[in-house]
Amino acid sequence: MSTKLNIGLFGFGVVGQGLYDIIKTKNLNLEIKKIAIKNPGKIRSLAPEIFTTDKDELLNNPEINTIVELINDTEAAFEIVSTALKSGKNVVSASKKMIALHLQELLDLQHEHGTSLLYEGAVCGSIPIIRNLEEYYDNELLHSISGIFNGSSNYILSKGFLENMDYATALKQAQDLGFAETDPTMDVGGFDAKFKLIIAAAHAYGIIVNPEDVLNIGIQNLSAYDLQYAREKGLKIKLVPVAKELDAQHVTLFVLPKFVNESEFLYNVEYEYNGVTVQAAFADQQFFFGKGAGGHPTGSAVLSDIAALRYGYAYEYKKAHQKYNLNFTNDVELKIYLRYEDEQLVDDLKFLHIYERFYSGDFKFVTGKVNLQNLIAQQQRIAESKAFVAFADQLTGVSLATA
Ligand code: HSE
Protein backbone atom coordinates (compact mmCIF):
# COMPACT_ATOMS: atom_id res chain seq x y z
CA MET A 1 0.00 0.00 0.00
CA SER A 2 1.32 3.43 -0.82
CA THR A 3 0.99 6.33 1.62
CA LYS A 4 -0.68 9.48 0.33
CA LEU A 5 1.92 12.21 0.08
CA ASN A 6 0.92 15.77 0.92
CA ILE A 7 3.72 17.83 -0.50
CA GLY A 8 5.15 21.19 0.46
CA LEU A 9 7.22 22.37 -2.50
CA PHE A 10 10.04 24.89 -2.08
CA GLY A 11 10.93 26.69 -5.30
CA PHE A 12 9.05 27.09 -8.54
CA GLY A 13 11.88 27.72 -10.97
CA VAL A 14 12.91 25.59 -13.93
CA VAL A 15 12.85 22.28 -12.03
CA GLY A 16 9.83 23.12 -9.82
CA GLN A 17 7.77 24.01 -12.88
CA GLY A 18 9.09 20.92 -14.70
CA LEU A 19 8.05 18.71 -11.81
CA TYR A 20 4.61 20.31 -11.69
CA ASP A 21 4.10 19.76 -15.43
CA ILE A 22 4.93 16.05 -15.03
CA ILE A 23 2.82 15.52 -11.89
CA LYS A 24 -0.30 16.98 -13.48
CA THR A 25 -0.19 14.38 -16.24
CA LYS A 26 -0.25 11.54 -13.68
CA ASN A 27 -2.79 10.10 -11.34
CA LEU A 28 -0.52 9.48 -8.38
CA ASN A 29 -1.45 9.26 -4.75
CA LEU A 30 -0.04 12.68 -3.99
CA GLU A 31 -0.98 16.33 -3.83
CA ILE A 32 1.03 19.55 -3.82
CA LYS A 33 -0.51 21.48 -0.93
CA LYS A 34 1.57 24.63 -0.95
CA ILE A 35 4.50 26.12 -2.85
CA ALA A 36 6.97 28.43 -1.09
CA ILE A 37 8.60 31.03 -3.32
CA LYS A 38 11.00 33.93 -2.78
CA ASN A 39 9.64 36.48 -5.20
CA PRO A 40 5.83 36.98 -5.01
CA GLY A 41 5.96 39.59 -7.80
CA LYS A 42 6.89 37.12 -10.53
CA ILE A 43 4.18 36.06 -12.99
CA ARG A 44 3.38 32.35 -12.38
CA SER A 45 1.49 29.71 -14.29
CA LEU A 46 -0.69 28.71 -11.29
CA ALA A 47 -3.39 30.40 -9.20
CA PRO A 48 -1.85 32.65 -6.51
CA GLU A 49 -3.51 30.80 -3.56
CA ILE A 50 -1.08 27.90 -3.79
CA PHE A 51 1.96 30.15 -3.25
CA THR A 52 3.37 31.58 -0.04
CA THR A 53 6.56 33.38 0.93
CA ASP A 54 6.42 32.00 4.47
CA LYS A 55 8.44 28.78 4.79
CA ASP A 56 6.75 27.91 8.07
CA GLU A 57 3.39 27.55 6.33
CA LEU A 58 4.92 24.38 4.87
CA LEU A 59 7.31 23.28 7.59
CA ASN A 60 4.80 23.72 10.43
CA ASN A 61 1.81 22.31 8.57
CA PRO A 62 1.07 18.90 10.15
CA GLU A 63 -0.89 17.85 7.06
CA ILE A 64 2.26 18.12 4.90
CA ASN A 65 4.28 14.92 5.29
CA THR A 66 6.77 15.44 2.45
CA ILE A 67 9.00 18.39 1.56
CA VAL A 68 10.37 18.81 -1.96
CA GLU A 69 13.22 21.32 -1.92
CA LEU A 70 14.18 22.84 -5.29
CA ILE A 71 15.65 26.24 -4.43
CA ASN A 72 19.06 27.59 -5.33
CA ASP A 73 20.15 29.13 -2.05
CA THR A 74 22.48 26.61 -0.40
CA GLU A 75 22.21 27.70 3.22
CA ALA A 76 18.45 28.29 3.07
CA ALA A 77 18.08 24.84 1.48
CA PHE A 78 20.04 23.21 4.33
CA GLU A 79 17.89 25.01 6.89
CA ILE A 80 14.68 23.84 5.21
CA VAL A 81 15.85 20.25 4.68
CA SER A 82 17.26 19.79 8.17
CA THR A 83 14.17 21.32 9.81
CA ALA A 84 11.93 19.01 7.81
CA LEU A 85 13.96 15.89 8.60
CA LYS A 86 13.95 16.78 12.32
CA SER A 87 10.19 17.24 12.33
CA GLY A 88 9.45 13.82 10.85
CA LYS A 89 8.89 14.88 7.25
CA ASN A 90 10.61 13.02 4.42
CA VAL A 91 12.44 15.14 1.89
CA VAL A 92 13.37 15.13 -1.78
CA SER A 93 16.06 17.64 -2.76
CA ALA A 94 17.98 18.53 -5.90
CA SER A 95 20.45 20.90 -4.19
CA LYS A 96 23.75 19.23 -5.03
CA LYS A 97 25.97 21.87 -3.41
CA MET A 98 23.98 21.80 -0.17
CA ILE A 99 24.02 17.99 -0.07
CA ALA A 100 27.75 17.70 -0.84
CA LEU A 101 28.63 20.30 1.80
CA HIS A 102 26.43 18.78 4.52
CA LEU A 103 26.43 15.09 3.67
CA GLN A 104 27.49 13.75 7.07
CA GLU A 105 24.99 15.95 8.92
CA LEU A 106 22.23 14.85 6.57
CA LEU A 107 23.07 11.18 7.11
CA ASP A 108 23.03 11.70 10.87
CA LEU A 109 19.71 13.55 10.79
CA GLN A 110 18.04 10.78 8.82
CA HIS A 111 19.40 8.19 11.21
CA GLU A 112 18.42 10.12 14.33
CA HIS A 113 14.90 11.02 13.24
CA GLY A 114 14.00 7.98 11.15
CA THR A 115 13.29 10.16 8.13
CA SER A 116 14.37 9.80 4.51
CA LEU A 117 16.18 12.22 2.21
CA LEU A 118 16.34 11.31 -1.48
CA TYR A 119 18.27 13.29 -4.11
CA GLU A 120 18.41 11.53 -7.47
CA GLY A 121 17.69 14.84 -9.24
CA ALA A 122 20.84 16.36 -7.70
CA VAL A 123 23.22 14.14 -9.70
CA CYS A 124 23.15 14.02 -13.52
CA GLY A 125 19.52 15.11 -13.93
CA SER A 126 17.47 12.31 -15.42
CA ILE A 127 20.12 9.54 -15.07
CA PRO A 128 19.20 7.19 -12.19
CA ILE A 129 22.77 6.83 -10.96
CA ILE A 130 22.34 7.20 -7.20
CA ARG A 131 19.61 4.57 -6.96
CA ASN A 132 21.75 2.22 -9.07
CA LEU A 133 24.88 2.77 -7.00
CA GLU A 134 22.86 2.22 -3.85
CA GLU A 135 20.80 -0.79 -4.92
CA TYR A 136 22.29 -2.44 -7.98
CA TYR A 137 26.01 -2.14 -7.27
CA ASP A 138 25.70 -2.67 -3.52
CA ASN A 139 27.85 -5.79 -3.68
CA GLU A 140 30.03 -4.78 -6.62
CA LEU A 141 33.58 -3.59 -6.30
CA LEU A 142 33.68 -0.41 -8.34
CA HIS A 143 37.03 0.42 -9.90
CA SER A 144 35.92 3.83 -11.09
CA ILE A 145 33.05 6.16 -11.83
CA SER A 146 33.53 9.01 -14.23
CA GLY A 147 31.55 10.93 -16.75
CA ILE A 148 29.99 14.17 -17.80
CA PHE A 149 28.09 15.48 -14.81
CA ASN A 150 27.45 19.07 -15.87
CA GLY A 151 25.11 19.89 -18.72
CA SER A 152 26.03 23.57 -19.08
CA SER A 153 29.76 23.10 -19.54
CA ASN A 154 29.14 20.22 -21.92
CA TYR A 155 26.72 22.42 -23.85
CA ILE A 156 29.39 25.13 -24.17
CA LEU A 157 32.04 22.60 -25.24
CA SER A 158 29.73 21.05 -27.85
CA LYS A 159 28.72 24.43 -29.23
CA GLY A 160 32.39 25.40 -29.52
CA PHE A 161 33.67 22.12 -30.92
CA LEU A 162 30.83 21.22 -33.27
CA GLU A 163 29.50 24.65 -34.23
CA ASN A 164 32.46 26.97 -33.64
CA MET A 165 30.31 29.07 -31.34
CA ASP A 166 32.22 31.39 -29.05
CA TYR A 167 32.27 30.72 -25.33
CA ALA A 168 30.24 33.77 -24.20
CA THR A 169 27.40 33.13 -26.67
CA ALA A 170 27.22 29.44 -25.76
CA LEU A 171 27.17 30.26 -22.04
CA LYS A 172 24.38 32.79 -22.59
CA GLN A 173 22.37 30.10 -24.41
CA ALA A 174 22.92 27.62 -21.57
CA GLN A 175 21.66 30.28 -19.17
CA ASP A 176 18.62 31.11 -21.32
CA LEU A 177 17.73 27.42 -21.53
CA GLY A 178 17.74 27.21 -17.73
CA PHE A 179 20.69 24.79 -17.52
CA ALA A 180 23.26 27.05 -15.86
CA GLU A 181 23.60 27.81 -12.16
CA THR A 182 22.85 31.34 -10.90
CA ASP A 183 26.63 31.76 -10.71
CA PRO A 184 27.83 30.02 -13.89
CA THR A 185 31.35 29.69 -12.41
CA MET A 186 29.83 26.74 -10.58
CA ASP A 187 29.31 25.04 -13.96
CA VAL A 188 32.34 26.06 -16.01
CA GLY A 189 34.73 25.92 -13.05
CA GLY A 190 33.89 22.29 -12.31
CA PHE A 191 32.36 22.99 -8.88
CA ASP A 192 28.92 21.64 -9.76
CA ALA A 193 30.46 18.46 -11.21
CA LYS A 194 32.55 18.10 -8.06
CA PHE A 195 29.53 18.33 -5.75
CA LYS A 196 27.80 15.64 -7.80
CA LEU A 197 30.94 13.48 -7.77
CA ILE A 198 31.15 13.71 -3.98
CA ILE A 199 27.54 12.61 -3.63
CA ALA A 200 28.08 9.71 -6.04
CA ALA A 201 31.26 8.66 -4.20
CA ALA A 202 29.35 8.41 -0.91
CA HIS A 203 27.14 5.76 -2.49
CA ALA A 204 29.84 4.08 -4.60
CA TYR A 205 32.57 3.89 -1.98
CA GLY A 206 30.97 4.80 1.35
CA ILE A 207 33.29 7.80 1.76
CA ILE A 208 32.28 11.30 2.80
CA VAL A 209 34.73 13.79 1.32
CA ASN A 210 34.99 17.50 2.03
CA PRO A 211 34.56 19.39 -1.29
CA GLU A 212 37.46 21.67 -0.36
CA ASP A 213 39.84 18.71 -0.51
CA VAL A 214 38.97 17.80 -4.09
CA LEU A 215 40.60 19.39 -7.16
CA ASN A 216 38.33 21.08 -9.64
CA ILE A 217 39.74 22.73 -12.72
CA GLY A 218 37.19 23.83 -15.29
CA ILE A 219 37.01 24.97 -18.87
CA GLN A 220 37.29 28.75 -18.41
CA ASN A 221 40.84 28.89 -19.81
CA LEU A 222 40.16 26.67 -22.82
CA SER A 223 41.60 28.30 -25.97
CA ALA A 224 41.56 27.73 -29.71
CA TYR A 225 45.03 26.15 -29.32
CA ASP A 226 43.65 23.43 -27.06
CA LEU A 227 40.83 22.68 -29.48
CA GLN A 228 43.36 22.54 -32.32
CA TYR A 229 45.54 20.11 -30.33
CA ALA A 230 42.51 17.89 -29.67
CA ARG A 231 41.26 18.01 -33.27
CA GLU A 232 44.66 17.09 -34.70
CA LYS A 233 44.72 14.00 -32.52
CA GLY A 234 41.10 13.02 -33.19
CA LEU A 235 40.16 13.78 -29.58
CA LYS A 236 37.42 15.85 -27.96
CA ILE A 237 37.65 17.81 -24.73
CA LYS A 238 35.05 17.11 -22.02
CA LEU A 239 34.83 18.24 -18.40
CA VAL A 240 35.12 14.99 -16.48
CA PRO A 241 34.80 14.18 -12.79
CA VAL A 242 36.60 10.99 -11.80
CA ALA A 243 36.32 8.76 -8.72
CA LYS A 244 38.87 5.97 -8.85
CA GLU A 245 39.81 3.22 -6.52
CA LEU A 246 43.63 3.11 -6.37
CA ASP A 247 44.05 0.07 -4.16
CA ALA A 248 42.13 -1.72 -1.40
CA GLN A 249 42.52 1.29 0.92
CA HIS A 250 42.46 4.36 -1.29
CA VAL A 251 40.11 6.27 -3.54
CA THR A 252 40.93 9.48 -5.37
CA LEU A 253 38.52 12.09 -6.70
CA PHE A 254 39.16 15.00 -9.07
CA VAL A 255 37.46 17.12 -11.74
CA LEU A 256 39.47 18.09 -14.82
CA PRO A 257 38.88 18.71 -18.50
CA LYS A 258 39.79 15.45 -20.23
CA PHE A 259 40.78 14.45 -23.74
CA VAL A 260 38.45 11.68 -24.81
CA ASN A 261 38.95 9.49 -27.83
CA GLU A 262 36.41 7.96 -30.17
CA SER A 263 36.37 4.64 -28.36
CA GLU A 264 35.16 6.22 -25.11
CA PHE A 265 31.43 6.48 -24.47
CA LEU A 266 31.80 10.11 -23.43
CA TYR A 267 33.00 11.07 -26.92
CA ASN A 268 29.44 11.14 -28.20
CA VAL A 269 27.83 12.84 -25.20
CA GLU A 270 27.00 16.29 -26.48
CA TYR A 271 25.16 19.46 -25.40
CA GLU A 272 23.18 19.18 -22.15
CA TYR A 273 23.39 15.41 -22.09
CA ASN A 274 25.31 13.70 -19.28
CA GLY A 275 26.95 10.30 -19.23
CA VAL A 276 28.23 8.12 -16.42
CA THR A 277 30.77 5.35 -16.99
CA VAL A 278 30.98 2.76 -14.24
CA GLN A 279 33.91 0.34 -14.26
CA ALA A 280 32.98 -2.58 -12.06
CA ALA A 281 34.92 -5.68 -11.10
CA PHE A 282 32.29 -8.15 -12.24
CA ALA A 283 29.79 -6.26 -14.39
CA ASP A 284 32.78 -4.69 -16.22
CA GLN A 285 32.16 -1.42 -18.02
CA GLN A 286 28.67 0.08 -18.08
CA PHE A 287 27.40 3.38 -19.37
CA PHE A 288 24.41 5.55 -18.42
CA PHE A 289 23.29 8.32 -20.73
CA GLY A 290 20.58 10.97 -20.45
CA LYS A 291 19.77 14.64 -20.12
CA GLY A 292 21.64 16.17 -17.20
CA ALA A 293 19.89 19.52 -16.95
CA GLY A 294 16.54 21.12 -17.69
CA GLY A 295 13.14 21.21 -16.01
CA HIS A 296 11.55 18.03 -17.30
CA PRO A 297 14.59 15.69 -17.15
CA THR A 298 15.47 16.80 -13.60
CA GLY A 299 11.77 16.91 -12.67
CA SER A 300 11.47 13.27 -13.75
CA ALA A 301 14.21 12.24 -11.30
CA VAL A 302 12.56 14.27 -8.53
CA LEU A 303 9.24 12.61 -9.26
CA SER A 304 10.84 9.18 -9.13
CA ASP A 305 12.12 9.99 -5.62
CA ILE A 306 8.71 11.29 -4.56
CA ALA A 307 7.10 8.10 -5.86
CA ALA A 308 9.66 6.01 -3.94
CA LEU A 309 8.76 7.83 -0.72
CA ARG A 310 5.18 6.57 -1.05
CA TYR A 311 6.63 3.14 -0.29
CA GLY A 312 8.92 4.30 2.51
CA TYR A 313 12.14 4.10 0.50
CA ALA A 314 15.32 5.44 2.16
CA TYR A 315 18.99 5.20 1.18
CA GLU A 316 20.86 2.79 3.39
CA TYR A 317 24.35 4.05 2.43
CA LYS A 318 25.24 0.40 2.08
CA LYS A 319 28.89 0.83 1.14
CA ALA A 320 29.47 3.02 4.19
CA HIS A 321 28.07 0.25 6.38
CA GLN A 322 29.99 -2.55 4.68
CA LYS A 323 33.21 -1.22 6.25
CA TYR A 324 35.37 -1.16 3.16
CA ASN A 325 37.79 1.09 5.06
CA LEU A 326 38.53 3.15 2.00
CA ASN A 327 40.20 6.51 2.47
CA PHE A 328 40.28 9.49 0.17
CA THR A 329 43.71 10.53 -1.14
CA ASN A 330 45.20 13.09 -3.51
CA ASP A 331 48.53 11.29 -3.61
CA VAL A 332 48.25 9.98 -7.14
CA GLU A 333 50.12 10.54 -10.42
CA LEU A 334 48.12 11.87 -13.36
CA LYS A 335 49.03 12.24 -17.00
CA ILE A 336 48.21 15.77 -18.06
CA TYR A 337 48.44 18.28 -20.88
CA LEU A 338 49.37 21.78 -19.74
CA ARG A 339 49.17 24.79 -22.05
CA TYR A 340 50.89 27.67 -20.34
CA GLU A 341 52.42 31.11 -20.63
CA ASP A 342 54.28 31.19 -17.31
CA GLU A 343 57.41 28.98 -17.53
CA GLN A 344 57.73 28.93 -13.76
CA LEU A 345 54.41 27.08 -13.51
CA VAL A 346 55.94 24.11 -15.35
CA ASP A 347 58.76 23.95 -12.79
CA ASP A 348 56.42 24.38 -9.85
CA LEU A 349 54.17 21.56 -10.98
CA LYS A 350 57.24 19.31 -10.55
CA PHE A 351 56.59 17.02 -13.49
CA LEU A 352 57.62 13.47 -12.63
CA HIS A 353 57.94 12.61 -16.28
CA ILE A 354 57.66 14.65 -19.48
CA TYR A 355 56.41 13.10 -22.72
CA GLU A 356 56.38 16.12 -24.99
CA ARG A 357 57.25 19.81 -24.90
CA PHE A 358 56.13 22.11 -27.69
CA TYR A 359 56.67 25.80 -28.52
CA SER A 360 55.34 27.66 -31.52
CA GLY A 361 54.72 31.37 -31.14
CA ASP A 362 52.27 31.83 -28.27
CA PHE A 363 51.32 28.15 -28.20
CA LYS A 364 53.36 26.37 -25.55
CA PHE A 365 52.39 23.07 -24.04
CA VAL A 366 53.88 20.22 -22.14
CA THR A 367 52.49 16.73 -21.59
CA GLY A 368 53.62 14.53 -18.75
CA LYS A 369 52.97 13.10 -15.33
CA VAL A 370 52.35 15.16 -12.20
CA ASN A 371 51.21 14.39 -8.69
CA LEU A 372 47.64 15.54 -8.07
CA GLN A 373 48.79 17.25 -4.86
CA ASN A 374 50.99 19.57 -6.93
CA LEU A 375 48.08 20.44 -9.20
CA ILE A 376 46.06 21.34 -6.11
CA ALA A 377 48.90 23.47 -4.77
CA GLN A 378 49.08 25.39 -8.09
CA GLN A 379 45.33 25.58 -8.73
CA GLN A 380 45.12 29.33 -8.17
CA ARG A 381 48.16 30.04 -10.38
CA ILE A 382 46.74 27.86 -13.15
CA ALA A 383 43.49 29.84 -13.08
CA GLU A 384 45.15 33.26 -12.94
CA SER A 385 47.87 32.63 -15.51
CA LYS A 386 45.26 31.47 -18.04
CA ALA A 387 46.88 28.06 -18.27
CA PHE A 388 44.76 25.12 -19.41
CA VAL A 389 45.12 21.68 -17.88
CA ALA A 390 43.52 18.51 -19.18
CA PHE A 391 43.66 14.94 -17.97
CA ALA A 392 45.27 12.96 -20.78
CA ASP A 393 45.20 9.35 -19.69
CA GLN A 394 45.71 8.11 -23.26
CA LEU A 395 49.23 9.57 -23.40
CA THR A 396 51.65 6.76 -23.76
CA GLY A 397 55.18 5.86 -23.34
CA VAL A 398 57.34 7.80 -25.77
CA SER A 399 59.26 9.92 -23.38
CA LEU A 400 61.10 12.89 -24.84
CA ALA A 401 62.65 14.12 -21.66
CA THR A 402 62.59 13.53 -17.97
CA ALA A 403 62.25 16.38 -15.53
N1 HSE B 1 23.81 23.61 -13.80
C1 HSE B 1 23.60 22.21 -13.82
C2 HSE B 1 24.13 21.64 -15.10
C3 HSE B 1 22.13 21.90 -13.68
O1 HSE B 1 24.40 22.42 -16.03
O2 HSE B 1 24.33 20.43 -15.20
C4 HSE B 1 21.82 20.47 -13.42
O3 HSE B 1 22.35 20.05 -12.19
Side-chain angles (χ1 to χ4, degrees), residues 253-316:
L253 308 182
F254 57 88
V255 180
L256 277 171
K258 178 182 184 305
F259 291 114
V260 294
N261 64 41
E262 243 180 322
S263 69
E264 293 177 75
F265 293 118
L266 299 183
Y267 190 87
N268 292 314
V269 178
E270 300 291 0
Y271 302 104
E272 75 270 32
Y273 280 89
N274 282 190
V276 184
T277 305
V278 174
Q279 185 69 48
F282 307 112
D284 213 298
Q285 196 174 64
Q286 294 183 302
F287 182 63
F288 298 80
F289 173 76
K291 282 195 172 161
H296 288 164
T298 311
S300 78
V302 173
L303 180 62
S304 177
D305 279 349
I306 295 172
L309 284 180
R310 293 180 309 160
Y311 299 93
Y313 180 70
Y315 300 139
E316 290 175 53

Side-chain angles (χ1 to χ4, degrees), residues 102-121:
H102 296 282
L103 204 44
Q104 188 61 57
E105 291 153 278
L106 294 168
L107 258 77
D108 294 344
L109 282 173
Q110 292 176 79
H111 186 68
E112 212 174 306
H113 299 278
T115 40
S116 169
L117 166 66
L118 304 181
Y119 40 75
E120 192 65 72

Side-chain angles (χ1 to χ4, degrees), residues 15 94 96 121-125 149-155 174 178-182 186-187 192-193 196 272 274 292-294 298:
V15 181
K96 48 270 163 117
V123 183
C124 298
F149 286 18
N150 182 266
S152 302
S153 51
N154 203 50
Y155 185 88
F179 304 152
E181 299 301 304
T182 313
M186 291 291 121
D187 297 295
D192 180 75
K196 293 165 176 169
E272 75 270 32
N274 282 190
T298 311

Side-chain angles (χ1 to χ4, degrees), residues 5-250:
L5 299 187
N6 290 317
I7 295 173
L9 172 62
F10 281 86
F12 203 65
V14 175
V15 181
Q17 175 76 60
L19 173 68
Y20 193 88
D21 294 345
I22 302 169
I23 285 182
K24 72 177 187 219
T25 67
K26 303 268 163 205
N27 189 12
L28 300 165
N29 194 14
L30 55 87
E31 188 182 341
I32 296 181
K33 290 277 179 194
K34 208 81 197 162
I35 304 175
I37 46 161
K38 198 160 74 178
N39 180 359
K42 233 183 192 170
I43 295 169
R44 313 266 174 191
S45 56
L46 305 179
E49 301 77 57
I50 198 162
F51 294 107
T52 176
T53 52
D54 178 7
K55 65 181 185 339
D56 293 333
E57 268 193 54
L58 283 65
L59 293 169
N60 295 341
N61 181 345
E63 217 193 336
I64 289 177
N65 55 16
T66 307
I67 294 295
V68 177
E69 179 281 302
L70 304 173
I71 66 173
N72 59 16
D73 174 334
T74 301
E75 285 320 305
F78 180 62
E79 173 73 26
I80 290 161
V81 170
S82 51
T83 306
L85 291 172
K86 283 180 203 162
S87 59
K89 298 185 197 303
N90 293 323
V91 180
V92 175
S93 168
S95 296
K96 48 270 163 117
K97 181 175 179 185
M98 181 278 286
I99 297 164
L101 288 174
H102 296 282
L103 204 44
Q104 188 61 57
E105 291 153 278
L106 294 168
L107 258 77
D108 294 344
L109 282 173
Q110 292 176 79
H111 186 68
E112 212 174 306
H113 299 278
T115 40
S116 169
L117 166 66
L118 304 181
Y119 40 75
E120 192 65 72
V123 183
C124 298
S126 64
I127 300 177
I129 188 62
I130 299 301
R131 204 89 67 83
N132 273 296
L133 289 171
E134 183 68 15
E135 303 300 335
Y136 185 83
Y137 296 109
D138 53 342
N139 290 304
E140 260 276 19
L141 183 64
L142 299 178
H143 295 315
S144 66
I145 301 170
S146 60
I148 291 168
F149 286 18
N150 182 266
S152 302
S153 51
N154 203 50
Y155 185 88
I156 294 166
L157 289 170
S158 293
K159 284 280 173 184
F161 199 87
L162 303 175
E163 301 177 30
N164 281 321
M165 185 181 280
D166 67 273
Y167 184 93
T169 310
L171 171 59
K172 172 80 174 50
Q173 283 192 2
Q175 288 174 311
D176 292 346
L177 289 163
F179 304 152
E181 299 301 304
T182 313
D183 171 6
T185 311
M186 291 291 121
D187 297 295
V188 295
F191 294 92
D192 180 75
K194 172 165 86 171
F195 299 137
K196 293 165 176 169
L197 179 70
I198 283 171
I199 299 170
H203 293 273
Y205 295 110
I207 52 168
I208 309 279
V209 182
N210 180 349
E212 281 188 9
D213 296 336
V214 178
L215 175 84
N216 59 289
I217 292 181
I219 57 166
Q220 300 103 313
N221 292 352
L222 178 75
S223 76
Y225 290 131
D226 309 313
L227 290 174
Q228 176 194 327
Y229 174 90
R231 280 201 179 99
E232 280 171 8
K233 294 191 155 28
L235 303 166
K236 285 184 185 169
I237 298 172
K238 300 289 183 185
L239 182 58
V240 177
V242 176
K244 191 170 167 46
E245 189 197 41
L246 301 172
D247 57 38
Q249 278 95 39
H250 299 101

